[in-house]
Amino acid sequence: MEKGELDKSSSADGDSQVPPDPVAQQHELLISEIESTDGHLGTALRSIYDGPEPEKFLNRLDARIKAHDKEIEAMCNHHYQGFIESVHSLLQVRSDVKKLNTEIQTTNVDLKKSGQSVLSRGEELVKHRKIQKNIEAAIETLSLCLPVLETYGKLREQMAAKRYYPALKTLEQLEHTYLPRVSKYRFSQVMCETIPRLRDNINEASMSDLKDFLESIRKHSGRIGEVAMKQTAHENSLDALLVSVKTKKRLAPAPPNPFTGEVDSTAGCNGPHPKTEDDQDPEEGLSAQDLIDFSPVYRCLHIHSVLGTKDRFESYYRKQRRKQARLALQPPPVMHETLEGYKTYFHNIVGYYVVEDHILSTTSGLINQTYLDELWDMALSKITAVLRTHIGFCTDTNLLLQVKNLIVLFCLTLRSYGFSVSQLFELLLEVRDQYSELLRKMWVEVFNKIFDEDNYTPITVETVEEYRRITNVYPFRDDELEKEPFPKRFPFSQFVPRIYCEVKEYINACLKFSEDLHLSMTEKTEMVYNATSNLMRETLWKGISNLIRRPNLTLVQLIQISINMEHLDQSCIFLEDFISNITGARQDNFRASKLQGQSMFKSAKSDAESEIYKQLDLKIDEFFELASYDWLMVEFEGQPSGYVIDLTSFLQGTFISFTNLPEKVAQTACMSACKHIAECMMNLLKDEEVKSMTEPVLQQFDRDLQECEKFAKENPVHDLDGNTFQLAFADLRQLLNLFLSWEWTSYFADYGKSHSLYVRVSPVTCIILLEKLKESDKKRNSLFMAAFKQKERDKKRLVDTVLKQLRQLVNEQSLQQFS
């Protein structure tokens, strides 16, 4: 260490004293380059051998090598112990490696065994992969085919549903969009071959649909015309001519025209029929489009446009419609005899041209204005000729006026659609009054129509307007009804105001007929009184009599007719006032000219009441026809028979409708019904066809009678004690009490005495019932064991004893009658 320090100090002194050797420096640089370079040393070696003093370099290099060897030796000495330890560790690792190798070989054997299963599963996986690939290919193919099949199915469904235009669109989509995608499949070729046939089928089906439409439109043209004329009537409701249509329309023998709105009122009474407004509301605002489905025409037009046959379709449509026009212009047989014939004629024509006008405005090119004008010009001359001929045969004054008003409405309707009707208005100028027929024959039909159309139920009104509408038609006043809240019920049905209005219409017709006769006021008034009295005494009386005797009238209807007769009786006073007002004569001057209707209505009311009693009995008989007793009943079930429950329910509802009847009539009807029920039940017990019966049957009869007595006691008619009606069942009640209590001792002891509990029981009736009970006992005893025969023999002896005593009573009564 000291030597080194001396060398260093000497070196330092030398350095400070001797300048550095350039060769030595160069050698140091080359050695440093050799130490630090990992690549080629050719350049460095060349520099050494080319440079000066290569021997010195070798010496210096050896010195450097020795210095490095010393450093390596020092380092090895320092790390020798670690090296030895590493060698020992490596030897240990060697033994572990051998052990690990053994384990790896064992594992490898096991892995080979397991690999065999994996390989087999792998083969299966490959197989399933192929299957999956095939499935995916099939799905992909089906994805192409399914839209084709679905579209084809949709096409079939549309054709089955007769949706031909969508079917044609679907067919085009199938042909141009879907089938090219699957052209390589055979089924697509089959479909391609069927497409022309399907297109022809659509064409034929659409034409068939059009033919059905044309047939339907021919049948329903009348309905379209009715609605169109009704709309025109509403639009011109302030026109005086149309008001006159409303007033006279109901006088016609044929049914009223519901499309002019004329059912609401008559000329003599400015009030509506209560049902008319409700009937008109659904028709408000209707058009041809609302009434008829024009889609077959549109579809057929679209289909032929797509198929390129539009011209042929237009020609076919116009040809068929021309044929229908000729049919529509043919008048119905004997059209001149009824207003309905004219209505049908006008409705068909209006309906035809309304349809054509709608087609003109909603289609392009199917028809044009020139075609329609030519068609109308041809029709107009034909209509004018037909009307001129048939009106010449009209002999009914009211029909003539109605036809004239109907022609006006016909003209206004067609003119609103743009058709020229000047010739028809010129025809109206040629119409002359033809009053030559008997008005009374017309009113026979009017009254019969009212009888047929009436529902025979009290008029019910929901609002003040409806109430005023009725009271304006018929001058009925009732302070109690005025105070009642809505809905209110009039005591009479539509029958009364309609008859009242039609009588006033008849009076107006008589006055119109007499307008040109130059009669004085006195003669005119006398004529009106006589004519109205004849109408009531002959025409109306005959109609009401036939009405009351109609076999299909129900009990409720007869009750309402009786109530109606009472109000028609009161209406005679109103009619006399009406005659005085319209003739301008004072009623005091014509007190001798009284209407002959009051006595007629009283007689009709009496006939209706008699028919009520008869119908009530017949209805009760119908219920008893449903009675089905088990005459050999073994055990009483404790419930009333079904027909009795139905009968009492029916009577309860019926007697509620007796509210508006006079009390005496209602009471008589109720008592008559109760007596008839008791009589029918007694006849059932005494029926000769029933040979035997058991005591449970009598108990069932007693239960049914209790139900009837309960009904009677509940006072079905007001202002009368229910016990009064129970008297009708007294005979039957005492009879059943006797047989159920078996109090024959009391019966025989008190027989003939007024205080007897069974004073109404006839011995003959008892004999009949006992014989039937005895017969049932015989049948039953043959089925029982001998242990019970002693009891039955005792009962049989008792029955025989009672029968013997009853026969004695009957014989004694017979002797007393002969003596």
Side-chain angles (χ1 to χ4, degrees):
M1 177 65 68
E2 294 177 357
K3 182 180 180 179
E5 290 177 355
L6 291 174
D7 290 337
K8 288 182 182 180
S9 61
S10 64
S11 175
D13 291 339
D15 290 339
S16 60
Q17 295 174 5
V18 182
D21 186 2
V23 176
Q25 290 180 354
Q26 183 180 6
H27 288 172
E28 286 295 332
L29 289 174
L30 288 173
I31 292 173
S32 296
E33 182 180 354
I34 291 171
E35 289 178 346
S36 61
T37 300
D38 294 331
H40 299 286
L41 300 176
T43 304
L45 293 177
R46 181 178 294 275
S47 298
I48 293 171
Y49 286 102
D50 290 344
E53 298 179 354
E55 292 82 5
K56 289 183 178 182
F57 175 79
L58 293 174
N59 294 330
R60 191 174 292 278
L61 181 61
D62 290 335
R64 180 66 61 90
I65 290 171
K66 291 177 180 180
H68 283 303
D69 288 339
K70 290 179 179 181
E71 290 178 1
I72 290 172
E73 184 179 357
M75 186 177 293
C76 288
N77 292 331
H78 176 72
H79 293 287
Y80 177 76
Q81 185 64 34
F83 172 75
I84 296 300
E85 292 177 357
S86 297
V87 170
H88 287 295
S89 298
L90 184 59
L91 292 175
Q92 181 66 33
V93 168
R94 180 180 179 183
S95 62
D96 293 338
V97 167
K98 290 181 180 180
K99 182 179 180 181
L100 178 62
N101 186 27
T102 303
E103 292 178 357
I104 287 173
Q105 290 177 355
T106 304
T107 303
N108 185 40
V109 173
D110 296 339
L111 183 61
K112 287 181 179 180
K113 292 181 181 179
S114 301
Q116 295 297 326
S117 175
V118 173
L119 287 175
S120 62
R121 291 299 183 95
E123 292 175 356
E124 293 179 2
L125 179 61
V126 171
K127 180 180 178 180
H128 286 90
R129 289 290 185 183
K130 292 180 180 179
I131 295 174
Q132 182 181 6
K133 185 177 180 180
N134 293 336
I135 292 173
E136 290 175 353
I139 291 174
E140 183 179 357
T141 303
L142 288 175
S143 298
L144 291 175
C145 297
L146 279 178
V148 178
L149 298 176
E150 289 174 355
T151 305
Y152 189 77
K154 179 182 178 182
L155 173 62
R156 288 295 187 184
E157 291 177 358
Q158 289 172 339
M159 293 190 65
K162 297 184 178 181
R163 300 175 60 221
Y164 301 119
Y165 183 66
L168 186 61
K169 292 295 185 182
T170 304
L171 184 62
E172 295 292 329
Q173 185 182 23
L174 178 65
E175 182 180 13
H176 297 100
T177 304
Y178 292 110
L179 283 179
R181 300 175 183 175
V182 292
S183 57
K184 60 182 179 180
Y185 300 107
R186 283 180 295 177
F187 77 89
S188 68
Q189 298 176 1
V190 176
M191 286 187 179
C192 289
E193 294 173 358
T194 61
I195 284 177
R197 186 167 65 253
L198 289 173
R199 189 175 283 110
D200 292 339
N201 291 340
I202 290 175
N203 186 12
E204 294 174 0
S206 64
M207 289 302 295
S208 176
D209 202 7
L210 176 65
K211 292 176 182 178
D212 295 340
F213 167 78
L214 292 175
E215 179 64 21
S216 175
I217 203 68
R218 185 185 67 82
K219 294 179 180 179
H220 294 90
S221 290
R223 172 62 177 164
I224 298 173
E226 290 178 11
V227 174
M229 294 180 71
K230 175 186 173 182
Q231 291 172 339
T232 304
H234 286 309
E235 293 170 1
N236 298 272
S237 58
L238 299 178
D239 187 274
L241 184 61
L242 293 181
V243 172
S244 66
V245 172
K246 294 180 181 180
T247 59
K248 290 297 181 181
K249 179 179 180 306
R250 291 175 58 207
L251 298 177
N257 181 3
F259 306 98
T260 59
E262 297 166 7
V263 222
D264 289 341
S265 60
T266 57
C269 51
N270 297 323
H273 188 291
K275 293 183 180 180
T276 301
E277 186 173 353
D278 292 337
D279 294 339
Q280 289 177 349
D281 287 342
E283 297 172 356
E284 293 293 339
L286 288 180
S287 64
Q289 181 65 37
D290 299 320
L291 297 174
I292 296 296
D293 181 15
F294 288 89
S295 59
V297 178
Y298 303 148
R299 286 197 301 266
C300 203
L301 179 60
H302 292 321
I303 289 171
H304 281 274
S305 298
V306 174
L307 297 176
T309 57
K310 181 179 179 181
D311 294 338
R312 188 175 67 181
F313 170 70
E314 291 174 359
S315 175
Y316 175 81
Y317 176 82
R318 294 184 183 186
K319 180 180 178 181
Q320 295 300 319
R321 289 297 283 166
R322 281 184 181 274
K323 291 181 180 179
Q324 292 186 357
R326 286 192 288 270
L327 291 175
L329 292 174
Q330 293 295 327
V334 295
M335 184 178 74
H336 60 279
E337 293 184 359
T338 63
L339 182 62
E340 292 303 313
Y342 288 96
K343 289 180 182 179
T344 302
Y345 183 62
F346 289 141
H347 292 163
N348 288 333
I349 295 173
V350 171
Y352 177 88
Y353 284 97
V354 167
V355 170
E356 291 304 282
D357 180 76
H358 186 77
I359 293 293
L360 176 65
S361 60
T362 56
T363 60
S364 176
L366 185 56
I367 62 173
N368 52 42
Q369 190 63 49
T370 303
Y371 160 81
L372 194 58
D373 290 341
E374 291 176 358
L375 198 61
W376 172 244
D377 291 339
M378 177 273 295
L380 186 58
S381 59
K382 178 70 174 177
I383 293 170
T384 304
V386 169
L387 290 178
R388 183 178 286 110
T389 300
H390 283 270
I391 288 177
F393 290 105
C394 183
T395 57
D396 189 312
T397 56
N398 293 316
L399 179 59
L400 183 61
L401 292 175
Q402 292 173 2
V403 169
K404 181 182 70 174
N405 290 325
L406 197 58
I407 292 174
V408 172
L409 183 58
F410 174 74
C411 294
L412 293 175
T413 302
L414 289 175
R415 189 167 66 180
S416 67
Y417 285 91
F419 297 99
S420 174
V421 291
S422 57
Q423 291 187 26
L424 293 176
F425 278 107
E426 292 174 2
L427 175 65
L428 290 176
L429 299 177
E430 302 174 10
V431 177
R432 295 292 182 266
D433 295 337
Q434 303 175 19
Y435 291 98
S436 61
E437 294 294 332
L438 297 176
L439 295 175
R440 187 164 56 84
K441 292 181 180 180
M442 297 171 60
W443 261 257
V444 172
E445 299 296 333
V446 172
F447 289 146
N448 288 336
K449 181 174 178 294
I450 292 174
F451 299 152
D452 294 338
E453 293 181 351
D454 194 61
N455 57 10
Y456 299 99
T457 56
I459 300 174
T460 302
V461 292
E462 303 288 342
T463 62
V464 176
E465 290 76 11
E466 293 180 0
Y467 179 81
R468 296 304 177 198
R469 206 173 290 139
I470 298 298
T471 55
N472 289 338
V473 171
Y474 179 68
F476 176 77
R477 296 292 181 271
D478 188 339
D479 294 338
E480 294 183 359
L481 184 62
E482 288 278 355
K483 297 176 183 178
E484 290 181 2
F486 286 98
K488 297 182 179 182
R489 291 182 62 185
F490 289 90
F492 47 81
S493 68
Q494 293 285 355
F495 184 114
V496 174
R498 293 187 68 184
I499 290 291
Y500 176 78
C501 287
E502 294 304 340
V503 173
K504 291 170 67 176
E505 287 291 340
Y506 179 83
I507 295 171
N508 285 327
C510 292
L511 287 174
K512 182 173 291 187
F513 183 77
S514 64
E515 284 177 355
D516 298 329
L517 298 180
H518 305 289
L519 298 176
S520 65
M521 183 181 63
T522 302
E523 292 174 334
K524 186 184 296 185
T525 305
E526 191 69 26
M527 183 272 295
V528 171
Y529 267 103
N530 292 335
T532 307
S533 296
N534 289 335
L535 177 71
M536 292 183 175
R537 187 173 55 250
E538 298 178 12
T539 305
L540 185 56
W541 163 247
K542 184 181 293 184
I544 292 175
S545 297
N546 293 335
L547 172 65
I548 292 174
R549 288 168 178 78
R550 287 183 182 181
N552 59 342
L553 282 181
T554 64
L555 187 60
V556 176
Q557 290 174 330
L558 284 170
I559 294 170
Q560 190 60 53
I561 290 173
S562 176
I563 297 171
N564 290 347
M565 291 303 103
E566 182 178 355
H567 288 278
L568 285 177
D569 184 9
Q570 300 172 2
S571 70
C572 291
I573 300 175
F574 305 141
L575 290 173
E576 291 175 359
D577 294 336
F578 174 74
I579 293 173
S580 299
N581 292 332
I582 62 174
T583 59
R586 294 182 59 187
Q587 191 172 357
D588 295 340
N589 298 332
F590 298 94
R591 285 298 180 185
S593 300
K594 285 291 185 181
L595 293 178
Q596 303 297 318
Q598 291 182 330
S599 59
M600 182 272 293
F601 291 127
K602 286 183 173 63
S603 178
K605 181 174 179 293
S606 177
D607 291 347
E609 292 171 359
S610 299
E611 198 69 17
I612 289 172
Y613 306 148
K614 185 187 299 183
Q615 287 290 334
L616 192 59
D617 290 345
L618 291 175
K619 193 65 179 179
I620 292 172
D621 291 339
E622 292 178 8
F623 281 97
F624 273 93
E625 289 176 1
L626 301 175
S628 178
Y629 287 98
D630 181 8
W631 300 106
L632 299 178
M633 182 186 299
V634 178
E635 183 177 359
F636 170 54
E637 296 179 357
Q639 298 295 328
S641 300
Y643 83 94
V644 173
I645 296 175
D646 294 340
L647 173 60
T648 54
S649 299
F650 163 76
L651 292 177
Q652 189 68 39
T654 301
F655 289 142
I656 291 176
S657 63
F658 284 2
T659 305
N660 294 326
L661 280 177
E663 293 181 3
K664 183 178 179 181
V665 176
Q667 293 170 6
T668 303
C670 186
M671 180 57 74
S672 173
C674 292
K675 288 182 178 179
H676 193 67
I677 293 172
E679 181 181 356
C680 290
M681 295 184 71
M682 184 67 77
N683 291 338
L684 284 175
L685 290 175
K686 296 164 63 176
D687 189 2
E688 295 179 358
E689 294 181 1
V690 179
K691 302 301 182 181
S692 61
M693 67 175 61
T694 61
E695 289 184 5
V697 175
L698 294 179
Q699 293 174 355
Q700 182 65 52
F701 254 81
D702 180 72
R703 183 65 185 88
D704 294 344
L705 181 59
Q706 291 175 12
E707 192 71 16
C708 296
E709 290 173 334
K710 177 184 176 183
F711 160 76
K713 189 174 182 180
E714 288 177 352
N715 191 12
V717 178
H718 295 291
D719 301 326
L720 190 66
D721 186 7
N723 293 328
T724 303
F725 298 120
Q726 282 187 292
L727 294 177
F729 303 101
D731 293 357
L732 189 59
R733 168 47 59 204
Q734 292 184 11
L735 176 66
L736 291 175
N737 287 345
L738 174 61
F739 274 79
L740 293 177
S741 63
W742 211 253
E743 294 179 350
W744 294 105
T745 303
S746 175
Y747 174 78
F748 290 116
D750 297 333
Y751 180 77
K753 299 178 182 179
S754 59
H755 65 274
S756 174
L757 295 175
Y758 311 106
V759 67
R760 296 176 177 269
V761 179
S762 169
V764 176
T765 304
C766 293
I767 292 173
I768 294 173
L769 295 186
L770 284 173
E771 290 290 349
K772 295 180 178 183
L773 291 172
K774 183 178 178 182
E775 183 65 22
S776 68
D777 290 338
K778 288 181 180 179
K779 295 179 181 180
R780 185 174 58 185
N781 290 340
S782 63
L783 302 175
F784 291 162
M785 296 187 307
F788 297 95
K789 287 187 176 180
Q790 181 62 40
K791 181 179 179 180
E792 297 300 328
R793 282 196 297 269
D794 293 339
K795 183 177 181 179
K796 180 178 180 300
R797 284 194 296 268
L798 177 60
V799 170
D800 291 338
T801 302
V802 172
L803 281 172
K804 181 178 180 181
Q805 294 179 3
L806 289 172
R807 290 190 178 98
Q808 290 177 356
L809 289 177
V810 172
N811 293 333
E812 291 175 2
Q813 289 180 348
S814 300
L815 292 175
Q816 290 177 0
Q817 290 177 356
F818 284 108
S819 62

